Protein backbone atom coordinates (compact mmCIF):
# COMPACT_ATOMS: atom_id res chain seq x y z
CA UNK A 1 0.00 0.00 0.00
CA UNK A 2 1.22 3.48 -0.83
CA UNK A 3 0.66 5.82 2.12
CA UNK A 4 0.80 9.40 0.87
CA UNK A 5 1.63 12.12 3.37
CA UNK A 6 -0.82 14.98 2.92
CA UNK A 7 -2.01 18.12 4.67
CA UNK A 8 -0.47 21.31 3.33
CA UNK A 9 2.88 19.61 3.08
CA UNK A 10 4.91 22.58 1.87
CA UNK A 11 2.40 25.42 1.89
CA UNK A 12 2.15 28.57 3.95
CA UNK A 13 1.20 26.71 7.14
CA UNK A 14 2.64 25.63 9.48
CA UNK A 15 5.43 28.21 9.62
CA UNK A 16 8.10 25.69 10.55
CA UNK A 17 7.78 24.22 7.07
CA UNK A 18 8.87 27.50 5.55
CA UNK A 19 11.76 27.79 7.97
CA UNK A 20 12.98 24.21 7.71
CA UNK A 21 12.10 22.94 4.25
CA UNK A 22 15.68 22.03 3.45
CA UNK A 23 16.03 20.00 6.66
CA UNK A 24 13.01 17.72 6.57
CA UNK A 25 15.00 14.80 5.25
CA UNK A 26 18.37 16.47 4.86
CA UNK A 27 18.41 17.66 1.24
CA UNK A 28 15.80 17.95 -1.50
CA UNK A 29 17.06 14.99 -3.49
CA UNK A 30 16.00 12.60 -0.73
CA UNK A 31 12.36 13.49 -1.35
CA UNK A 32 12.44 11.00 -4.21
CA UNK A 33 11.72 8.30 -1.60
CA UNK A 34 8.66 10.04 -0.16
CA UNK A 35 5.06 9.68 -1.37
CA UNK A 36 3.27 13.03 -1.19
CA UNK A 37 -0.28 14.20 -1.84
CA UNK A 38 -0.54 17.95 -2.19
CA UNK A 39 -3.51 20.22 -2.75
CA UNK A 40 -3.47 22.65 -5.65
CA UNK A 41 -5.02 25.14 -3.23
CA UNK A 42 -1.76 25.24 -1.25
CA UNK A 43 0.70 24.71 -4.09
CA UNK A 44 3.55 27.21 -4.26
CA UNK A 45 6.97 27.51 -5.91
CA UNK A 46 8.40 25.02 -3.42
CA UNK A 47 5.88 22.41 -4.50
CA UNK A 48 6.69 23.03 -8.14
CA UNK A 49 10.38 22.59 -7.38
CA UNK A 50 9.92 19.33 -5.54
CA UNK A 51 7.44 17.58 -7.88
CA UNK A 52 10.09 16.35 -10.37
CA UNK A 53 12.05 14.77 -7.51
CA UNK A 54 9.13 12.70 -6.21
CA UNK A 55 8.64 9.19 -7.50
CA UNK A 56 5.06 9.19 -6.15
CA UNK A 57 3.02 12.35 -6.23
CA UNK A 58 -0.74 12.91 -6.24
CA UNK A 59 -2.37 16.29 -6.80
CA UNK A 60 -5.77 17.13 -5.35
CA UNK A 61 -7.70 19.96 -6.93
CA UNK A 62 -8.25 21.74 -3.61
CA UNK A 63 -11.55 23.01 -5.00
CA UNK A 64 -13.60 22.15 -1.95
CA UNK A 65 -11.05 23.80 0.35
CA UNK A 66 -11.28 26.94 -1.76
CA UNK A 67 -15.06 26.94 -1.50
CA UNK A 68 -15.15 26.13 2.23
CA UNK A 69 -13.16 29.26 3.00
CA UNK A 70 -16.12 31.32 1.87
CA UNK A 71 -14.58 32.51 -1.38
CA UNK A 72 -16.67 33.19 -4.46
CA UNK A 73 -15.67 30.65 -7.09
CA UNK A 74 -15.57 30.97 -10.84
CA UNK A 75 -15.24 27.25 -11.49
CA UNK A 76 -14.26 27.65 -15.14
CA UNK A 77 -11.40 29.92 -14.12
CA UNK A 78 -10.40 27.61 -11.26
CA UNK A 79 -10.34 24.64 -13.62
CA UNK A 80 -8.26 26.63 -16.12
CA UNK A 81 -5.64 27.34 -13.45
CA UNK A 82 -5.68 23.70 -12.26
CA UNK A 83 -5.12 22.49 -15.82
CA UNK A 84 -2.33 25.02 -16.28
CA UNK A 85 -0.54 23.82 -13.14
CA UNK A 86 -0.82 20.17 -14.21
CA UNK A 87 0.56 20.90 -17.67
CA UNK A 88 3.33 23.21 -16.48
CA UNK A 89 4.60 20.70 -13.91
CA UNK A 90 3.84 17.55 -15.91
CA UNK A 91 1.79 16.07 -13.09
CA UNK A 92 0.89 12.50 -14.01
CA UNK A 93 -1.65 11.64 -11.30
CA UNK A 94 -4.32 14.13 -10.31
CA UNK A 95 -7.88 14.01 -9.00
CA UNK A 96 -10.95 15.41 -10.66
CA UNK A 97 -12.89 18.32 -9.14
CA UNK A 98 -15.27 16.16 -7.12
CA UNK A 99 -17.53 19.03 -6.13
CA UNK A 100 -20.84 17.22 -6.69
CA UNK A 101 -22.61 18.92 -3.72
CA UNK A 102 -21.76 22.33 -5.16
CA UNK A 103 -22.43 21.97 -8.89
CA UNK A 104 -24.03 18.54 -9.38
CA UNK A 105 -22.63 15.36 -10.90
CA UNK A 106 -23.49 16.32 -14.49
CA UNK A 107 -21.35 19.45 -14.21
CA UNK A 108 -18.56 17.43 -12.58
CA UNK A 109 -18.55 15.10 -15.59
CA UNK A 110 -18.33 18.07 -17.94
CA UNK A 111 -15.40 19.43 -15.97
CA UNK A 112 -13.76 16.00 -15.97
CA UNK A 113 -14.03 15.85 -19.75
CA UNK A 114 -12.41 19.26 -20.12
CA UNK A 115 -9.72 18.41 -17.54
CA UNK A 116 -8.71 15.28 -19.40
CA UNK A 117 -9.03 16.83 -22.84
CA UNK A 118 -6.79 19.80 -22.10
CA UNK A 119 -4.17 17.94 -20.06
CA UNK A 120 -4.07 14.95 -22.39
CA UNK A 121 -4.13 12.66 -19.33
CA UNK A 122 -6.72 10.63 -17.48
CA UNK A 123 -7.61 11.96 -14.05
CA UNK A 124 -8.42 9.94 -10.94
CA UNK A 125 -12.22 10.11 -10.61
CA UNK A 126 -13.56 10.30 -7.07
CA UNK A 127 -16.67 8.30 -6.19
CA UNK A 128 -19.21 9.72 -3.73
CA UNK A 129 -22.23 7.96 -2.26
CA UNK A 130 -24.60 10.27 -4.12
CA UNK A 131 -23.35 8.86 -7.43
CA UNK A 132 -24.60 5.37 -6.67
CA UNK A 133 -23.24 1.87 -7.24
CA UNK A 134 -23.66 1.95 -11.03
CA UNK A 135 -21.41 5.00 -11.32
CA UNK A 136 -18.75 3.28 -9.22
CA UNK A 137 -18.75 0.20 -11.43
CA UNK A 138 -18.58 2.41 -14.51
CA UNK A 139 -15.51 4.13 -13.06
CA UNK A 140 -13.93 0.72 -12.45
CA UNK A 141 -14.47 -0.23 -16.09
CA UNK A 142 -13.27 3.06 -17.55
CA UNK A 143 -10.27 3.97 -15.36
CA UNK A 144 -7.15 2.24 -14.08
CA UNK A 145 -7.03 4.35 -10.90
CA UNK A 146 -10.08 5.49 -8.95
CA UNK A 147 -10.77 6.93 -5.50
CA UNK A 148 -13.41 6.92 -2.79
CA UNK A 149 -14.23 10.34 -1.34
CA UNK A 150 -16.40 11.53 1.52
CA UNK A 151 -14.40 9.83 4.26
CA UNK A 152 -13.00 13.01 5.80
CA UNK A 153 -16.30 14.90 5.52
CA UNK A 154 -18.22 12.12 7.26
CA UNK A 155 -20.31 11.39 4.18
CA UNK A 156 -19.12 7.81 4.66
CA UNK A 157 -19.73 6.86 8.28
CA UNK A 158 -17.31 4.72 10.24
CA UNK A 159 -20.04 2.09 10.50
CA UNK A 160 -19.98 1.89 6.71
CA UNK A 161 -16.28 1.06 6.46
CA UNK A 162 -17.34 -2.58 6.43
CA UNK A 163 -18.40 -2.06 2.81
CA UNK A 164 -14.89 -1.10 1.72
CA UNK A 165 -13.91 -4.69 0.83
CA UNK A 166 -16.68 -4.80 -1.80
CA UNK A 167 -15.47 -1.59 -3.42
CA UNK A 168 -11.85 -2.74 -3.34
CA UNK A 169 -12.75 -6.15 -4.78
CA UNK A 170 -14.78 -4.60 -7.59
CA UNK A 171 -11.97 -2.24 -8.50
CA UNK A 172 -9.43 -5.05 -8.56
CA UNK A 173 -11.77 -7.31 -10.53
CA UNK A 174 -11.75 -4.68 -13.26
CA UNK A 175 -7.98 -4.21 -13.04
CA UNK A 176 -8.18 -0.78 -11.37
CA UNK A 177 -6.27 0.54 -8.38
CA UNK A 178 -8.28 2.25 -5.66
CA UNK A 179 -7.35 5.11 -3.35
CA UNK A 180 -8.97 5.96 0.00
CA UNK A 181 -9.00 9.76 0.12
CA UNK A 182 -8.18 11.00 3.59
CA UNK A 183 -8.35 7.53 5.12
CA UNK A 184 -6.28 8.02 8.26
CA UNK A 185 -7.67 5.17 10.37
CA UNK A 186 -4.52 3.22 11.26
CA UNK A 187 -6.30 -0.03 12.14
CA UNK A 188 -8.32 0.33 8.95
CA UNK A 189 -5.18 0.78 6.88
CA UNK A 190 -4.17 -2.73 7.94
CA UNK A 191 -7.67 -4.17 7.61
CA UNK A 192 -8.74 -2.75 4.25
CA UNK A 193 -6.41 -3.32 1.35
CA UNK A 194 -6.59 -0.10 -0.59
CA UNK A 195 -3.82 0.30 -3.11
CA UNK A 196 -3.14 3.73 -1.68
CA UNK A 197 -4.41 6.13 0.98
CA UNK A 198 -3.38 9.57 2.14
CA UNK A 199 -3.11 10.84 5.66
CA UNK A 200 -2.77 14.20 7.37
CA UNK A 201 -2.32 12.50 10.75
CA UNK A 202 1.45 13.03 10.68
CA UNK A 203 0.74 16.77 11.02
CA UNK A 204 -1.59 16.38 14.02
CA UNK A 205 1.32 15.88 16.37
CA UNK A 206 2.76 19.22 15.34
CA UNK A 207 -0.56 20.97 15.98
CA UNK A 208 -1.43 19.22 19.25
CA UNK A 209 1.98 18.57 20.77
CA UNK A 210 2.24 14.81 20.17
CA UNK A 211 5.45 13.01 19.40
CA UNK A 212 5.17 10.11 16.97
CA UNK A 213 7.36 7.04 16.84
CA UNK A 214 7.39 4.17 14.37
CA UNK A 215 7.61 0.98 16.43
CA UNK A 216 8.51 -1.33 13.56
CA UNK A 217 4.93 -2.01 12.56
CA UNK A 218 2.79 1.01 13.38
CA UNK A 219 2.84 4.62 14.50
CA UNK A 220 2.37 5.34 18.20
CA UNK A 221 1.96 8.77 19.73
CA UNK A 222 2.96 10.22 23.07
CA UNK A 223 1.43 13.40 24.49
CA UNK A 224 3.41 16.00 26.31
CA UNK A 225 2.87 15.82 30.12
CA UNK A 226 -0.08 17.92 31.37
CA UNK A 227 0.82 21.59 31.41
CA UNK A 228 4.04 20.96 29.48
CA UNK A 229 5.01 21.61 25.88
CA UNK A 230 7.85 20.22 23.80
CA UNK A 231 10.66 22.76 23.91
CA UNK A 232 11.48 22.85 20.21
CA UNK A 233 8.37 22.80 18.01
CA UNK A 234 10.44 22.77 14.81
CA UNK A 235 12.44 19.74 15.91
CA UNK A 236 9.22 17.99 16.93
CA UNK A 237 7.64 18.60 13.53
CA UNK A 238 10.67 17.34 11.64
CA UNK A 239 10.92 14.29 13.90
CA UNK A 240 7.24 13.44 13.35
CA UNK A 241 7.59 13.80 9.60
CA UNK A 242 10.54 11.43 9.49
CA UNK A 243 8.82 8.84 11.69
CA UNK A 244 5.82 8.86 9.35
CA UNK A 245 8.15 8.37 6.40
CA UNK A 246 9.42 5.21 8.12
CA UNK A 247 5.82 4.01 8.47
CA UNK A 248 5.19 4.93 4.84
CA UNK A 249 8.01 2.66 3.72
CA UNK A 250 6.76 -0.15 5.95
CA UNK A 251 3.26 0.19 4.47
CA UNK A 252 4.63 0.08 0.95
CA UNK A 253 6.32 -3.23 1.66
CA UNK A 254 3.95 -5.03 4.04
CA UNK A 255 0.42 -3.58 3.90
Amino acid sequence: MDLYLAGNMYGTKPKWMLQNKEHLLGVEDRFVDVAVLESFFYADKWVERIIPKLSRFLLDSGAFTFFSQGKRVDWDNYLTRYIGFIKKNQVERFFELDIDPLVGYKRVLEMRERLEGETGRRCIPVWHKSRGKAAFLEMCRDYDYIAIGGIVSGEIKKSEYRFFPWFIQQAHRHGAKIHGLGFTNLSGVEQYHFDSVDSTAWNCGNRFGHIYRFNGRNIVSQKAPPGKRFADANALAIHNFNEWVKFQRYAEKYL
Side-chain angles (χ1 to χ4, degrees):
M1 175 187 292
D2 285 330
L3 171 63
Y4 287 79
L5 300 185
N8 193 10
M9 184 68 64
Y10 314 112
T12 57
K13 298 177 182 177
K15 290 182 179 179
W16 68 268
M17 280 291 188
L18 293 178
Q19 299 165 354
N20 297 278
K21 286 172 179 175
E22 303 294 345
H23 305 290
L24 291 177
L25 287 176
V27 294
E28 282 186 5
D29 287 339
R30 293 188 62 190
F31 274 95
V32 70
D33 297 325
V34 182
V36 168
L37 184 149
E38 185 58 276
S39 168
F40 172 61
F41 181 83
Y42 295 111
D44 60 10
K45 294 298 182 183
W46 168 257
V47 175
E48 293 190 67
R49 199 168 87 210
I50 211 73
I51 287 174
K53 301 178 183 295
L54 293 166
S55 59
R56 291 166 294 163
F57 177 73
L58 294 177
L59 181 68
D60 182 69
S61 73
F64 214 98
T65 303
F66 192 84
F67 175 82
S68 65
Q69 293 202 353
K71 300 179 183 294
R72 293 175 62 87
V73 185
D74 178 341
W75 290 118
D76 287 327
N77 176 265
Y78 192 91
L79 180 56
T80 296
R81 292 191 292 114
Y82 188 45
I83 290 169
F85 185 90
I86 291 166
K87 293 172 68 174
K88 176 184 176 183
N89 296 285
Q90 301 181 42
V91 178
E92 295 185 4
R93 293 290 189 183
F94 50 90
F95 297 93
E96 68 177 340
L97 278 71
D98 56 317
I99 50 175
D100 307 29
L102 305 179
V103 301
Y105 187 37
K106 180 180 178 182
R107 177 71 174 121
V108 167
L109 291 176
E110 292 171 353
M111 297 173 83
R112 182 196 296 177
E113 183 177 2
R114 182 185 162 204
L115 175 62
E116 294 181 339
E118 295 187 24
T119 60
R121 292 188 171 100
R122 304 279 271 172
C123 70
I124 301 175
V126 182
W127 183 82
H128 287 268
K129 285 169 63 176
S130 59
R131 299 185 183 183
K133 183 185 295 186
F136 178 80
L137 294 174
E138 184 177 2
M139 284 167 47
C140 292
R141 291 191 294 267
D142 294 345
Y143 287 85
D144 63 2
Y145 211 146
I146 62 178
I148 291 183
I151 298 172
V152 175
S153 67
E155 172 190 328
I156 295 179
K157 309 299 182 187
K158 193 169 183 180
S159 61
E160 296 174 311
Y161 288 3
R162 68 184 188 276
F163 298 118
F164 283 158
W166 181 87
F167 286 94
I168 295 168
Q169 289 165 11
Q170 292 303 313
H172 290 169
R173 187 168 70 85
H174 288 87
K177 290 184 177 181
I178 183 167
H179 182 93
L181 261 173
F183 190 58
T184 59
N185 185 296
L186 292 179
S187 61
V189 165
E190 291 192 83
Q191 184 177 358
Y192 306 113
H193 301 293
F194 286 101
D195 295 287
S196 58
V197 297
D198 64 275
S199 176
T200 60
W202 70 275
N203 209 4
C204 292
N206 313 332
R207 296 200 305 269
F208 303 117
H210 295 186
I211 187 168
Y212 286 112
R213 285 193 176 88
F214 176 62
N215 65 7
R217 179 171 178 176
N218 212 328
I219 284 284
V220 295
S221 66
Q222 175 185 344
K223 295 182 180 180
K228 303 278 188 179
R229 298 184 65 181
F230 290 104
D232 189 338
N234 288 341
L236 171 65
I238 294 168
H239 167 86
N240 286 342
F241 179 85
N242 285 321
E243 290 301 295
W244 272 86
V245 169
K246 293 176 185 178
F247 180 47
Q248 182 182 81
R249 291 170 181 164
Y250 170 85
E252 181 185 5
K253 188 172 182 180
Y254 296 108
L255 297 184

